[in-house]
Amino acid sequence: MHPFDVETLTAGRWRNGGGATREIVSWPVGAEEFQWRASVADIDRDGPFSAFPGVDRTFTLLAGDGVRLTAPGAFDRTARAGEPLGFSGDLALTAELRGGACRVLNVMVRRDRWAARVDRITGPVVLPSGHAGVFHVLRGRWRTGAEGRPLAAGQGAWWDENDVAPGRAVTPLSPGAVALWADVAPMR
């Protein structure tokens, strides 16, 4: 497993100037085109989102009052805190902030090769063998595996399909602990 702290990830500005992205992982690492990708984005203002043809996205609000995503005649949904929202990367979306800047976890997968499911969790989860994934702490303290160091809000870990030993789990260490778990499964 590969631990991360969102605050130490390098932020890259969007081409349209509307936000910045902190990449957690782009798999395979170093490849020109990702198969799956996870990042945390800070959205500063209303504006267009880049389309990603052939990609499925799951967007989860981490901080802020909400983000309305629209594509005229095709899509109109509002992302709310801690509620994963899935949509096609083929859509040319526009984002409208509900009350100012926000932060989101963004998981993207090539739909012909991977499928992602993002869940809000409050209890232990055994990570499926042969799957990749991302774990992001929202509140409280968590541990990844028996030997993993404790993780706090804004921290987490990612792994590829070869990293997870059978039976490995993420476990809350404090009352009221909440996290997001993105299970990234290969299409077989």
Side-chain angles (χ1 to χ4, degrees), residues 132-187:
V134 177
F135 174 76
H136 182 277
V137 177
L138 298 176
R139 187 171 61 234
R141 293 171 39 91
W142 290 77
R143 181 178 311 280
T144 56
E147 73 287 344
R149 68 177 173 83
L151 300 172
Q155 298 177 328
W158 68 268
W159 55 95
D160 67 43
E161 68 273 19
N162 299 312
D163 283 342
V164 178
R168 187 157 206 177
V170 293
T171 308
L173 298 175
S174 60
V178 179
L180 293 172
W181 166 45
D183 181 30
V184 180
M187 303 291 282

Side-chain angles (χ1 to χ4, degrees), residues 24-138:
I24 295 168
V25 60
S26 181
W27 187 259
V29 174
E32 190 171 314
E33 184 176 278
F34 69 85
Q35 295 301 307
W36 64 271
R37 179 176 186 254
S39 61
V40 171
D42 293 308
I43 306 173
D44 301 333
R45 63 176 183 243
D46 297 349
F49 267 35
S50 298
F52 286 90
V55 170
D56 287 330
R57 298 176 72 172
T58 304
F59 185 88
T60 308
L61 185 67
L62 301 175
D65 293 332
V67 180
R68 180 179 178 204
L69 300 175
T70 59
F75 192 85
D76 188 345
R77 301 274 306 272
T78 298
R80 301 188 195 291
E83 298 176 9
L85 173 63
F87 56 92
S88 170
D90 297 310
L91 297 171
L93 295 170
T94 298
E96 178 186 334
L97 302 179
R98 303 287 194 184
C102 65
R103 178 171 274 187
V104 299
L105 175 68
N106 188 30
V107 176
M108 300 190 293
V109 297
R110 297 270 172 217
R111 79 173 56 101
D112 61 340
R113 298 186 184 154
W114 298 90
R117 189 186 81 237
V118 179
D119 291 312
R120 184 178 184 274
I121 61 172
T122 58
V125 173
V126 176
L127 305 176
S129 184
H131 291 209
V134 177
F135 174 76
H136 182 277
V137 177
L138 298 176

